[in-house]
Amino acid sequence: ILAGTIKDVVTRYAVMSGKHVERRAGWDCHGLPVEYEIDQKLNITHRDQVLEMGIDKYNETCRSIVTRYTKEWESTITRLGRWIDFENDYKTMDATFMETVWWVFRQLFDKNLVYQGYKVMPFSMACATPLSNFEAGLNYKDVRDPAVVVNFPLKDDEDVAFVAWTTTPWTLPSNIALCVHPTMEYVKIQDTKTGNKYILSKGRLPQLYPIMNNKKKWKPDKAAEHFEVLEKYVGTDLVGKKYKPIFDFFADTPASGEYFRVLSDNYVTDDAGTGIVHQAPAFGEDDYRVCLAHGVIYKGQDLPCPVDDNGVFTKEVPPVKGMNVKDADDILIKLIKESGRLVQKDNLDHSYPFCWRSDTPLIYKAVPSWFIKVEEIREKIVANNNKTYWVPNQVKEGRFHNWLVDARDWAVSRNRFWGTPIPIWASEDMSEVVCIGSIDELAELSGVRVDDLHRETVDKIEIPSKKNPGTVLRRVDEVFDCWFESGSMPYAQQHYPFENKERFEKGFPADFIAEGLDQTRGWFYTLMVLATALFDEPAFKNLIVNGLVLAGDGKKMSKRLKNYPDPNLVISKYGADALRLYLINSPVVRAESLKFQESGVLGVVKEVFLPLYNAFRFFLQNVERWEEKGVKFVPSVDKVKATTNPTDVWISAAAQGLIKYVKEEMAAYRLYTVMPALVKFVTQLTNWYVRLNRDRLKGLEGEDAEAEAETGLQVLYDVLLDVTMLMAPFTPFITEYFYQELRKMQPSYKERENDGGSSNPVMAGKSDSVHFLPLPAYDESRLNEDAVKAMEALQAIVELGRNAREKRNISLRTPLKSVVVVLRNPSQVVIDGVTGPLKTYILSELNAWDFQVVSKENEHEWVKLSLTPDFKILGKKLGKNMKAAKATITGLTHDEAVAALEKGSLEVEGVAIDTKSEVVAKLSFSKEGEHWEATPSQEGDIVVAIDCTQDEAILTAGKSRELINHVQQLRKAAGLDLKDVVEVFFEEEEGITSTEDAVAMNVSLFETKFKGNVPLPKKFAPSWSVPLRSDNVEVGGSKVIVSICRPALAVKDGLNGSVGMFLSTVDPASVEAGATLSCTVDGTSCTAKEGEDFWVSSAAMVK
C-alpha cells in the first residue's frame, strides 16, 4: 500500500504535469509464497510427494489460487485511489512474460555470463528450497542452540589436538577441514587438571578458561593453576597439518585424499570460539569458498552432504538416519562425548534466521545452481548505478553501492515446480547444452509447439542431439528464482523483443520506480544487474526508496501475529485520503521506519481535512449569502491581483510560493519536503487567513462590506482551487469533491455537456475531473516575500502574546490595555507591516487596545540582549580557555552585546570570535513592573510583553465579549443562519447589574456585532416576544439567563391595548423607519407611528 501510494502520487503528478504515463497492474504469480500455501493446503512435506501427484496437478492447483486474491486486492487498490489499469494487466505466469524471461536468459547465455556450479545458500527445510540472502534476512529470531568445543588430534601426534567451537553440531559429520587465521597467534597448551594438550588461538584461551574474562579475579600469574603454554605459532605454521576426523563417514571416499587438513583464511576471527573453525563446505558459504580455494574440493565435484532437501539425515550417517538435523544434535553430541572428543558443552542464545513463510529454522546448504556472472560485470553495474538518481541519495551511495561493489555471482535457479523453467536442454553428462530463447526456437529444435511454458508442458519435450544422433537432450530440472523474473519485468511486461520493440526502446530506461528499502538487495539489484548485462544501461532513471511500515510496537507487521489493523477497515473508518496523507507525510518517504498508529490517521482527518473542509464549506456558505442580492459569483483572477488587503496579498503570495516550491521539490522527487509544505499551507489558510477574515467574508466588515466580502471570496476561491489542484495527486478523493463544487462557478462549466468535459482543451470548470487538469502555474507577479515575512511576524507576535496571557490566566475575551513588541533587527518591511495594515489584525487577535513596536534606540528599556558561546564550534577553537571565554561572553551588558553583534567580532582570551556564527544571541524581557508579562520566542529574536492592568473598562469589555460568545452559541444551537435577525435579552440575579453595566459601557461593540440589536435586560422585552433559545450562563462570574428571541415591535407604555395587540402581529421587517400603521379596532380607526408610538425593536426603543 505504501509503495503503491508513492507510485500513484508521482504518476498522477506526472500526468498533471503534461506527461503520458502508462500504468499497468502487474502480478507476481510464481515462487515460494504460492507453493508454500499449496503445500500447507495439500499437506505436502516432501518433494517426492509432488512428483507422485504429478507436476501438472500441483501447478494447476498453484494456478488456481494465484488469481484468488486479485479481485480483493484490486478492490483495495481502487479504494485507496490508485489510478492503474487492471484490465490491461500482466502476470508473470503469462506465456508472453515467460518467453521474454527465456530471451533474457538466452542473451546472458550467449554472452558467456551463465555457468553451473554449487552455491551454499540459506535453505528452508520446510519448503525444501533454497532462499535468497534477501529472503533469509526477513525473519530473525532469538534462539538457544548447543555450543560445543571438540578436539581434533594431530595425525602425527595424537597427544596434541586442535580444538574448534561450533553452534551447529549436526555439521560435524561432514567436517573435512579446519581453518586458522594466517597471522593470528596460536599456542599449544597443556591443561593442568587433565594433562590434555590443545592448540588454539592465544586470544581465545578464555573459551576454555572462562575465569580469564573476569578482570577482577584473573591475574596473569594465575595461569599456571590452569594451563601451561608449551609452544607458540602463527597461523601459517599450522597450515597443512593433518588431523584425525571426528567421524569416519567420509574418510574413505575417492576425494578424501585432500580432506582433514588445516587451511587458512582471513575470515577467521578471535571474537568468539577458539580461533580455529571447522569446515563443512556443504553447509557454510565461507567453508565452501575456503575449501575450494585450497583444493580440498573442486567445482563440479560432489560434496560430503548427508542431508536431504527436507533437512533430514540420509543413510550416509547411520546413527541419525531419518532425523531432522536440529533434532540430531543431542545424539551426535552424545557420540562425540563417548569417543572422548568433547571438550566443552554449553548453550548459546543468539539471533538466527527463520524461513519467512514456514517460520521454521533455516540451514545453510550447498545446492547445485545456475549462476549469472555478476562479478564479471560488477564495475559496469556500479557505473550504471552512478547514472541514477535516488531519494534519499544516501541509500544509493551507501547501502546499495556497498552491496554492488561486493556483489557475488547470482544463483538464479531454484529446485521448485511453480515458476518459469530454466530453458536449458542438455545431455545426461552435460557435454551438450542448448539454451532456448523463444517458443519458436523450441518448436524449431524439438518439433513441438507450445502455448504454455510451465514445467508440466516443457519438461516432456525432448530435443534431438546434434552431437550424438539417436540420443536426446532433456530440460534441466530447475526453475528460475522469481527475482530473475522481477528483474526481467521491464522487458517481459511488453513481451520484448517479440512485440512492442519500438515502444519499449522509446521508454527505456524507465523514468521512475519506487519500492521499499528491503529491495536494495532485491528488485533494485536484479533490475540493475540484468539491464547492465543486456544493454549496459540502468533500468531506471529516478527512484524513491521508502522505509518500512512497522507495527505500533516497532515490530515487523505480521499476518500471523495480527499486530496491525486491517487496511480496509482503516480506509473505511477514516478514508483513503487520510491513510495516504499519513503515510506520505511520514519518515517512510525518506527511507526511515514508521511505527504505524491508527491515531495518526485520525490526526490527519482532524488536523488537516476537517479544517480544510470547514474552510471550503464556509466559502460556499458565504458565496451563497453574497449571491442572495441577485448577482452570480464569477471567479476573477484580476480581482485577486487587484486586492490591497494585506492578508489577501499574503495568502495569495504564499499560495504562489507553494506552487513554485512543490514543482521544484517534485521535480527532485522529494515527497518528504512537499507534504509538510502542503500541510503547513492548509494550516495557514484555515487557522489564519479564514479566521482573520471571518467577519469580512460574511459581509460584516468595512464601509463597503459586500465589496470587501466579494474580494475576500475571490481570493479564497483562487487559493482553494490552486490547493485543490496541487493536492490532487496526493489526496485524490477530497480534492475531487472540492473541484466538483468549485467548477460550477467557472464560466466554462457549461461547456462540459456532450462529452466536452473529457475533451481538450482542459480547463477548470469544463473538465470533468480535477485529475484531468494541468497543475497550476505559479504567478511570478504575485510572489511577495515582504508580505510573507510580515505575516510570519504577525503570527509570531500573536502566538507569543497568547502565551503571555496564559501565564497570567487572562481570558482572550478580556481586553489588554497594551501589547509591546521588541524585534531583533527587523526589516523595515516587517515594521511597516505590523504597525500599519496588519496592526488591526494583531489588536483583534490579541483583543488589545494598543500595540507598539519598540524602536531600536529604546529597546534597552525593555529587553536585555544576551550572548552565549556556541560550544560545538568554540569548544574546539578555544580548548581549555572555553570556561573563561564563556564567562566573558555571557557577562556582556546589553549595549556591549549589541556592539559586538554590530561589529561582527569579539576578542576573547586573545582569540577573535565571529559573533555571527560562533555565538548565540537571545533577547529577554527586563522591564520592571508587576503589571507586565512577557514571552520571548524560542530563537530569542522576538519578545512580546502585555500590560495586564485590570481596570473597570477592561473588565466590562471582557464581560461584553463573554456575553457575545454566549449569544453566538445560542444562535448556533438554534440553527440560525448569518442573515437571521434576533433580539437578545438577559436576566440577572436580583440586585446585580454587572452585565447591564458592561453592555452600557460597550454599546458600540454590540451594535457592530449584532447589527444594532444591543442586548437588553429582560424588562424591556415585549410580552409577545417569542424566545427561540435560552440558557443559564456565567458572565464575569455572575449567573445570567440569556435568551435570543424572534424580532418583535416594541410599543410605548400606555398605548391602547388593542393597538398593541395589533402591533404584536406585525413583522418588524415589513416596517420602514417613520412609517405610520393604521388599523380598525371595534369600528374605531387607529394609527400608530414608528419612532413615537412603537419601534422596530426593543433596542431601537431604548436608544
Side-chain angles (χ1 to χ4, degrees):
I1 284 177
L2 169 61
T5 300
I6 293 173
K7 292 171 189 175
D8 188 60
V9 166
V10 173
T11 51
R12 280 181 182 272
Y13 185 89
V15 167
M16 293 181 75
S17 300
K19 305 284 196 307
H20 171 76
V21 180
E22 187 177 280
R23 292 172 281 195
R24 294 175 66 199
W27 306 98
D28 290 325
C29 304
H30 291 143
L32 185 58
V34 177
E35 288 201 29
Y36 178 72
E37 187 165 340
I38 294 305
D39 289 352
Q40 295 291 101
K41 178 182 177 182
L42 302 179
N43 198 27
I44 291 174
T45 58
H46 201 281
R47 177 182 174 84
D48 292 343
Q49 292 174 269
V50 177
L51 299 174
E52 287 172 13
M53 75 177 288
I55 295 175
D56 56 342
K57 293 177 181 175
Y58 183 82
N59 276 0
E60 189 54 42
T61 311
C62 289
R63 191 190 306 270
S64 70
I65 72 158
V66 165
T67 56
R68 187 172 70 193
Y69 301 116
T70 56
K71 285 298 174 189
E72 181 182 325
W73 189 237
E74 182 177 338
S75 173
T76 299
I77 292 301
T78 302
R79 178 65 187 85
L80 193 63
R82 188 172 177 190
W83 207 346
I84 193 166
D85 185 357
F86 285 105
E87 293 183 9
N88 185 34
D89 62 359
Y90 68 87
K91 298 180 177 67
T92 59
M93 68 179 185
D94 293 339
T96 52
F97 193 100
M98 296 170 72
E99 184 178 26
T100 294
V101 173
W102 276 18
W103 174 84
V104 170
F105 187 72
R106 171 62 183 271
Q107 302 311 299
L108 305 187
F109 187 87
D110 289 348
K111 293 181 179 185
N112 196 29
L113 292 175
V114 175
Y115 70 92
Q116 189 181 30
Y118 275 100
K119 184 174 178 65
V120 177
M121 301 179 69
F123 198 90
S124 171
M125 298 179 284
C127 299
T129 191
L131 304 180
S132 66
N133 285 327
F134 157 71
E135 290 171 303
L138 294 176
N139 186 19
Y140 268 81
K141 293 188 176 188
D142 291 332
V143 298
R144 172 167 288 187
D145 278 325
V148 297
V149 176
V150 294
N151 69 58
F152 297 83
L154 275 68
K155 203 160 188 179
D156 56 4
D157 185 358
E158 293 191 11
D159 288 338
V160 181
F162 296 108
V163 286
W165 174 82
T166 181
T167 59
T168 53
W170 61 268
T171 62
L172 288 170
S174 307
N175 168 268
I176 58 171
L178 296 175
C179 189
V180 297
H181 191 284
T183 61
M184 194 181 292
E185 188 176 357
Y186 290 83
V187 290
K188 180 201 293 185
I189 63 166
Q190 183 167 23
D191 184 82
T192 305
K193 289 183 179 179
T194 65
N196 294 333
K197 298 175 184 177
Y198 299 128
I199 296 176
L200 73 162
S201 165
K202 181 182 178 182
R204 291 306 307 154
L205 282 168
Q207 178 67 48
L208 298 186
Y209 306 102
I211 192 173
M212 295 177 71
N213 289 319
N214 190 321
K215 292 182 180 179
K216 290 183 178 179
K217 292 184 178 181
W218 179 256
K219 303 294 180 196
D221 57 8
K222 287 192 173 185
E225 298 176 19
H226 300 276
F227 60 84
E228 178 187 356
V229 177
L230 305 177
E231 283 187 59
K232 295 181 180 180
Y233 320 89
V234 291
T236 51
D237 296 336
L238 304 174
V239 173
K241 289 187 178 295
K242 292 272 190 173
Y243 65 86
K244 183 179 177 183
I246 295 180
F247 298 105
D248 57 4
F249 304 125
F250 298 101
D252 298 317
T253 59
S256 62
E258 295 295 330
Y259 291 177
F260 313 122
R261 57 188 173 95
V262 177
L263 320 173
S264 70
D265 192 87
N266 289 330
Y267 94 94
V268 178
T269 66
D270 62 356
D271 57 359
T274 64
I276 300 176
V277 183
H278 110 80
Q279 306 289 288
F283 303 112
E285 192 172 2
D286 283 314
D287 304 31
Y288 181 84
R289 176 182 58 79
V290 172
C291 288
L292 195 65
H294 285 268
V296 179
I297 58 172
Y298 297 91
K299 283 187 178 181
Q301 172 190 324
D302 286 339
L303 301 175
C305 182
V307 177
D308 69 12
D309 287 347
N310 294 103
V312 171
F313 273 106
T314 63
K315 62 183 179 181
E316 292 171 293
V317 184
V320 287
K321 174 189 172 185
M323 293 185 69
N324 182 275
V325 293
K326 290 290 186 180
D327 297 333
D329 276 341
D330 289 342
I331 292 176
L332 290 170
I333 292 171
K334 182 181 177 185
L335 292 173
I336 293 168
K337 184 176 182 181
E338 289 172 353
S339 66
R341 305 291 290 273
L342 184 66
V343 177
Q344 190 180 71
K345 180 182 181 297
D346 204 346
N347 290 311
L348 177 71
D349 295 324
H350 63 141
S351 186
Y352 192 84
F354 275 60
C355 176
W356 63 288
R357 277 291 166 182
S358 62
D359 209 30
T360 54
L362 298 177
I363 61 172
Y364 280 78
K365 184 173 183 290
V367 292
S369 297
W370 290 93
F371 290 84
I372 306 299
K373 295 179 181 177
V374 173
E375 294 168 38
E376 193 170 296
I377 59 171
R378 190 160 53 195
E379 289 184 6
K380 290 183 178 181
I381 297 172
V382 172
N384 282 326
N385 181 48
N386 291 334
K387 298 176 185 176
T388 60
Y389 174 80
W390 290 47
V391 175
N393 186 59
Q394 64 261 29
V395 179
K396 169 191 167 182
E397 295 188 350
R399 184 170 179 159
F400 193 61
H401 174 79
N402 295 339
W403 176 251
L404 292 183
V405 295
D406 289 327
R408 306 270 183 87
D409 288 352
W410 175 17
V412 296
S413 58
R414 295 291 181 267
N415 300 93
R416 300 300 299 175
F417 305 98
W418 178 240
T420 299
I422 288 184
I424 286 181
W425 271 256
S427 58
E428 194 169 336
D429 61 359
M430 298 299 291
S431 62
E432 184 178 1
V433 176
V434 173
C435 183
I436 303 297
S438 69
I439 291 174
D440 284 347
E441 186 181 6
L442 180 61
E444 181 184 336
L445 294 179
S446 69
V448 180
R449 177 165 290 279
V450 296
D451 57 10
D452 177 65
L453 295 180
H454 286 93
R455 285 193 62 176
E456 62 271 24
T457 303
V458 300
D459 278 8
K460 55 194 176 190
I461 296 175
E462 298 174 342
I463 295 177
S465 170
K466 290 182 179 179
K467 283 187 177 180
N468 300 295
T471 63
V472 295
L473 309 181
R474 293 185 175 87
R475 198 191 71 80
V476 297
D477 188 62
E478 296 93 341
V479 298
F480 280 111
D481 172 12
C482 56
W483 289 109
F484 190 86
E485 293 180 333
S486 298
S488 302
M489 180 278 288
Y491 332 105
Q493 66 165 328
Q494 298 196 47
H495 196 208
Y496 177 84
F498 309 102
E499 295 180 80
N500 306 309
K501 193 170 187 295
E502 184 179 344
R503 182 177 167 193
F504 164 76
E505 290 168 357
K506 201 173 179 181
F508 184 83
D511 288 301
F512 164 75
I513 66 169
E515 274 299 339
L517 186 62
D518 52 349
Q519 296 298 331
T520 48
R521 297 182 180 185
W523 190 46
F524 304 153
Y525 175 68
T526 61
L527 283 174
M528 193 68 74
V529 168
L530 293 184
T532 300
L534 292 172
F535 304 112
D536 195 16
E537 283 191 80
F540 54 87
K541 299 174 185 175
N542 302 289
L543 164 63
I544 292 179
V545 187
N546 63 262
L548 301 180
V549 181
L550 306 173
D553 58 5
K555 294 180 181 177
K556 185 183 174 187
M557 287 187 171
S558 165
K559 288 182 180 178
R560 183 174 58 82
L561 297 175
K562 296 180 180 177
N563 60 350
Y564 64 96
D566 182 342
N568 290 304
L569 295 179
V570 173
I571 293 171
S572 297
K573 194 172 182 181
Y574 306 106
D577 282 347
L579 179 57
R580 286 171 66 109
L581 196 57
Y582 172 70
L583 292 174
I584 302 167
N585 192 31
S586 75
V588 287
V589 292
R590 53 178 187 268
E592 297 174 15
S593 295
L594 167 68
K595 294 179 183 179
F596 184 86
Q597 302 287 349
E598 196 172 332
S599 59
V601 186
L602 174 60
V604 171
V605 175
K606 291 167 68 174
E607 295 164 23
V608 181
F609 291 152
L610 282 179
L612 185 58
Y613 173 75
N614 287 335
F616 170 75
R617 186 178 63 171
F618 179 75
F619 166 77
L620 293 182
Q621 289 170 341
N622 284 285
V623 166
E624 183 182 349
R625 181 200 60 75
W626 190 84
E627 288 181 337
E628 285 176 356
K629 62 180 186 286
V631 181
K632 184 165 178 59
F633 178 84
V634 179
S636 169
V637 175
D638 290 338
K639 290 182 179 179
V640 175
K641 290 182 177 181
T643 182
T644 58
N645 179 284
T647 59
D648 289 349
V649 174
W650 158 68
I651 198 65
S652 186
Q656 299 309 307
L658 177 70
I659 295 168
K660 182 174 185 285
Y661 180 79
V662 169
K663 290 197 169 188
E664 289 170 351
E665 294 302 292
M666 285 300 289
Y669 296 92
R670 289 191 286 262
L671 270 66
Y672 61 88
T673 61
V674 170
M675 285 316 304
L678 283 168
V679 171
K680 180 183 177 183
F681 182 81
V682 168
T683 302
Q684 294 285 304
L685 177 65
T686 57
N687 282 9
W688 288 99
Y689 180 76
V690 172
R691 192 179 78 236
L692 292 176
N693 289 280
R694 186 166 289 275
D695 285 349
R696 175 174 169 238
L697 294 168
K698 289 179 180 179
L700 300 175
E701 198 173 275
E703 293 182 5
D704 194 355
E706 288 304 324
E708 271 297 307
E710 189 205 359
T711 301
L713 291 171
Q714 289 285 359
V715 171
L716 186 51
Y717 178 90
D718 186 68
V719 171
L720 283 172
L721 184 61
D722 279 347
V723 169
T724 295
M725 291 190 288
L726 206 55
M727 289 187 68
F730 305 91
T731 53
F733 292 103
I734 193 170
T735 51
E736 183 68 13
Y737 173 75
F738 288 171
Y739 173 71
Q740 292 304 329
E741 292 297 324
L742 296 173
R743 69 185 290 215
K744 295 173 185 177
M745 300 174 192
Q746 289 283 346
S748 67
Y749 180 60
K750 58 181 180 293
E751 297 177 31
R752 76 194 187 285
E753 297 173 353
N754 301 318
D755 295 325
S758 57
S759 65
N760 288 324
V762 291
M763 62 179 70
K766 171 191 169 185
S767 294
D768 283 340
S769 171
V770 69
H771 304 292
F772 295 169
L773 297 174
L775 290 161
Y778 72 89
D779 183 346
E780 190 84 40
S781 69
R782 284 194 274 166
L783 292 173
N784 190 323
E785 192 63 29
D786 291 344
V788 172
K789 285 182 178 177
M791 195 63 193
E792 286 174 352
L794 175 147
Q795 292 176 8
I797 291 166
V798 169
E799 296 289 357
L800 294 172
R802 287 177 177 169
N803 182 270
R805 273 181 170 275
E806 289 171 6
K807 289 180 181 179
R808 291 291 183 98
N809 200 24
I810 301 173
S811 166
L812 258 177
R813 297 193 188 103
T814 301
L816 299 172
K817 267 198 166 183
S818 175
V819 175
V820 177
V821 175
V822 179
L823 300 168
R824 180 73 195 141
N825 292 329
S827 66
Q828 193 59 44
V829 169
V830 169
I831 295 175
D832 292 345
V834 297
T835 59
L838 293 176
K839 181 175 178 178
T840 56
Y841 292 100
I842 295 173
L843 292 173
S844 174
E845 285 295 293
L846 289 178
N847 189 13
W849 289 351
D850 186 43
F851 171 78
Q852 63 171 303
V853 175
V854 177
S855 66
K856 187 174 182 179
E857 296 75 27
N858 297 323
E859 67 178 25
H860 65 279
E861 298 175 5
W862 295 86
V863 296
K864 180 182 186 302
L865 178 65
S866 300
L867 302 184
T868 55
D870 187 321
F871 292 100
K872 285 186 179 178
I873 298 174
L874 290 180
K876 297 177 182 177
K877 188 173 181 178
L878 295 172
K880 61 183 181 180
N881 293 326
M882 186 68 233
K883 187 175 181 180
K886 177 188 174 186
T888 301
I889 294 170
T890 56
L892 295 176
T893 65
H894 175 86
D895 291 337
E896 288 171 339
V898 170
L901 287 183
E902 289 179 348
K903 184 179 178 183
S905 66
L906 179 68
E907 188 170 311
V908 179
E909 298 295 315
V911 178
I913 293 173
D914 185 345
T915 55
K916 292 181 180 177
S917 61
E918 296 178 340
V919 298
V920 178
K922 288 193 174 185
L923 296 173
S924 58
F925 190 68
S926 60
K927 182 84 168 176
E928 293 184 0
E930 284 296 315
H931 60 293
W932 290 108
E933 184 61 74
T935 299
S937 65
Q938 192 171 1
E939 297 77 15
D941 58 344
I942 304 175
V943 173
V944 176
I946 62 173
D947 184 344
C948 302
T949 303
Q950 298 280 286
D951 57 21
E952 188 62 26
I954 292 286
L955 294 173
T956 58
K959 292 176 185 177
S960 298
R961 289 260 185 172
E962 285 186 49
L963 181 58
I964 289 170
N965 182 62
H966 291 313
V967 172
Q968 288 170 334
Q969 293 301 318
L970 286 171
R971 288 182 62 94
K972 187 176 180 180
L976 300 180
D977 290 332
L978 185 63
K979 62 181 180 293
D980 294 328
V981 178
V982 295
E983 292 188 277
V984 181
F985 299 102
F986 58 86
E987 184 178 4
E988 299 182 82
E989 293 178 336
E990 190 175 346
I992 296 176
T993 61
S994 62
T995 302
E996 185 176 351
D997 295 340
V999 173
M1001 291 181 69
N1002 295 276
V1003 169
S1004 60
L1005 174 64
F1006 289 101
E1007 285 183 329
T1008 302
K1009 282 288 181 184
F1010 299 143
K1011 295 183 178 178
N1013 284 322
V1014 178
L1016 297 173
K1018 190 177 179 183
K1019 63 186 177 183
F1020 292 109
S1023 59
W1024 49 80
S1025 183
V1026 179
L1028 299 174
R1029 198 88 178 187
S1030 297
D1031 198 6
N1032 288 292
V1033 300
E1034 276 195 13
V1035 177
S1038 299
K1039 298 284 185 183
V1040 182
I1041 301 172
V1042 181
S1043 303
I1044 56 172
C1045 302
R1046 185 173 293 146
L1049 297 179
V1051 301
K1052 70 179 181 179
D1053 291 339
L1055 188 68
N1056 182 294
S1058 298
V1059 176
M1061 290 287 288
F1062 160 69
L1063 291 174
S1064 71
T1065 65
V1066 177
D1067 181 3
S1070 66
V1071 179
E1072 295 181 2
T1076 300
L1077 299 183
S1078 302
C1079 63
T1080 302
V1081 180
D1082 295 332
T1084 303
S1085 294
C1086 302
T1087 59
K1089 187 175 182 180
E1090 195 280 329
E1092 295 180 6
D1093 302 308
F1094 71 95
W1095 292 264
V1096 291
S1097 68
S1098 297
M1101 178 185 72
V1102 172
K1103 189 174 180 181

